[in-house]
Amino acid sequence: MTGDDTKHLPLEDLHAAAGARFGAFAGWSMPLTYPAGVMKEHLHTREHAGLFDISHMRLFEVSGPGAAALVTRACPLDAGALAISQSKYTFFLKEAAGIIDDLIITRLGGERFMVVANAGNAATDEKHLRALAADFDAKVDALDRVFLAIQGPEAWAALFRAGIETGSLLFMHGIEPRENWFMSRSGYTGEDGFEIGLPEADARNLVAKLLEDERVLWIGLAARDSLRLEAGLCLHGQDITPEIDPVSAGLMWAVPKEIRAAGSFIGADALRAIAARGPAHKRVGLKPEGRQPVRAGAALFDADGNPAGHVTSGGFGPSAAHPVAMGYVQTALALSGTRLFADVRGTKIPIDINPLPFTPHRYRKG
């Protein structure tokens, strides 16, 4: 990609002023780390509150009399059964059940839904959704918003101090607290946290207020990756792709039972067939022996040297205090405690299948 094609965050000047080191991600120039460094950023989020600029992700509003029917066709869920303000983790699937993208969809009203899509797939998702919308009385609007996430045990207190009340917002719900604002409570770190989509001028004011609070620190993409990996959460393009289905990915918990049985979403027949016969490979947590991280792409072998699978995400887990990884292994091997070996530049590193997540989730569900 040439420099001319790189997209820039609306708040890039704030990140530069904060001393961010930038790098390319999904066609965007993104803050990778700040002067505190990835280890401190990661631990600060787990202990206090981390502020993330996730404006590379896209918000789409789906509205109209056919909005619920459109979402129900596009995703393996019953959109009409969602309560107002309820959010659901779901997918766009190909006919063969591969994951085009994983999404969070929130019902904003009787005929309005908010779709949060990943950066690398935003254009594909928009095209996919618009093509489907042609068959329904619904329209798709891509929203121009700055998108921020604040994550960690003190996130709610920092927002409260900045004048934003969060008490009524439950886990996996989303609301519109002000005009042109969208706020949800989910979290890609395993911690309690909030995502706020808002106009740029409002975002600049909110960021200034939040950063006055010593509990709040800017967090870059590097720590975002280590936080979500410890939490056992997938990154689209690595742990899930259009070639991987929700059964193999261990994500069928996101598909309601009645939808599995009788849903007519895109990819339904293929997904049912895979679920019935069982997947050839399964996503697992992996804990390397020793201190050396095992990175994405490393091949996995069984004790006899036979190919067993591959690593899709890997790094060091600052909270876990050891290397952490995820990957796909043959289903017969996908048992906790199974010892495999990862090929790291010709050296075989012992690596054990480990339950996910590596650090407990601390979402505030009550």
Side-chain angles (χ1 to χ4, degrees):
M1 178 173 285
T2 65
D4 298 342
D5 296 331
T6 303
K7 300 188 187 98
H8 293 269
L9 299 173
L11 306 184
E12 184 175 72
D13 58 312
L14 299 185
H15 301 296
R21 185 171 65 82
F22 290 87
F25 176 78
W28 289 78
S29 173
M30 294 292 294
L32 300 182
T33 58
Y34 297 87
V38 62
M39 186 76 88
K40 278 191 177 158
E41 290 173 39
H42 177 113
L43 295 172
H44 186 93
T45 305
R46 291 258 184 264
E47 291 160 16
H48 303 290
L51 180 61
F52 302 76
D53 189 341
I54 52 171
S55 303
H56 59 309
M57 298 179 72
R58 291 310 305 271
L59 298 169
F60 299 103
E61 187 180 314
V62 179
S63 61
L70 167 57
V71 173
T72 300
R73 173 68 180 139
C75 305
L77 65 85
D78 180 357
L82 291 178
I84 304 296
S85 90
Q86 186 181 356
S87 303
K88 185 87 176 73
Y89 175 77
T90 189
F91 323 98
F92 287 157
L93 300 177
K94 296 170 71 174
E95 286 292 0
I99 300 170
I100 296 171
D101 201 5
D102 62 331
L103 318 149
I104 290 183
I105 293 184
T106 304
R107 188 171 200 177
L108 296 175
E111 299 182 348
R112 292 174 60 237
F113 295 82
M114 186 71 78
V115 179
V116 178
N118 288 306
N121 304 323
T124 304
D125 289 349
E126 185 172 359
K127 193 174 169 188
H128 180 72
L129 203 49
R130 287 192 190 284
L132 292 177
D135 295 331
F136 295 87
D137 186 5
K139 68 187 181 91
V140 177
D141 293 304
L143 303 181
D144 182 20
R145 300 283 186 273
V146 168
F147 202 30
L148 302 170
I150 181 164
Q151 304 278 302
E154 294 179 341
W156 69 273
L159 283 172
F160 183 76
R161 183 172 164 183
I164 295 173
E165 172 57 59
T166 64
S168 61
L169 185 59
L170 302 173
F171 177 68
M172 288 305 283
H173 283 70
I175 56 172
E176 295 171 290
R178 302 175 192 182
E179 191 179 356
N180 293 324
W181 283 43
F182 170 68
M183 183 162 85
S184 57
R185 188 171 198 165
S186 58
Y188 193 49
T189 57
E191 302 296 329
D192 183 34
F194 303 84
E195 301 78 35
I196 306 173
L198 69 177
E200 183 181 333
D202 291 350
R204 288 179 179 273
N205 290 334
L206 178 58
V207 164
K209 280 186 196 163
L210 287 171
L211 291 175
E212 286 170 7
D213 192 324
E214 63 186 12
R215 295 172 292 193
V216 180
L217 199 65
W218 274 125
I219 310 295
L221 215 55
R224 184 170 164 84
D225 196 50
S226 57
L227 287 158
R228 68 92 194 165
L229 180 51
E230 283 186 344
L233 302 173
C234 294
L235 175 61
H236 198 280
Q238 284 186 205
D239 309 298
I240 45 178
T241 69
E243 285 67 56
I244 294 171
D245 61 87
V247 183
S248 306
L251 296 173
M252 286 299 282
W253 56 266
V255 184
K257 283 198 174 71
E258 64 278 10
I259 299 297
R260 289 185 206 185
S264 56
F265 56 92
I266 292 171
D269 293 342
L271 191 62
R272 280 193 266 274
I274 295 163
R277 70 171 179 263
H281 290 81
K282 277 188 173 172
R283 180 173 64 96
V284 293
L286 296 159
K287 181 183 177 185
E289 194 174 78
R291 303 291 289 173
Q292 183 178 358
V294 173
R295 306 285 179 188
L300 299 171
F301 299 89
D302 67 14
D304 298 323
N306 302 308
H310 66 284
V311 175
T312 52
S313 282
F316 189 77
S319 305
H322 58 73
V324 292
M326 286 196 295
Y328 284 81
V329 302
Q330 292 164 21
T331 299
L333 298 171
L335 302 166
S336 187
T338 299
R339 170 145 291 194
L340 300 172
F341 296 87
D343 184 346
V344 179
R345 294 184 296 281
T347 302
K348 295 288 196 293
I349 305 266
I351 190 166
D352 294 332
I353 293 180
N354 194 84
L356 291 170
F358 293 98
T359 54
H361 290 169
R362 297 196 295 179
Y363 301 124
R364 189 166 305 184
K365 297 193 177 182

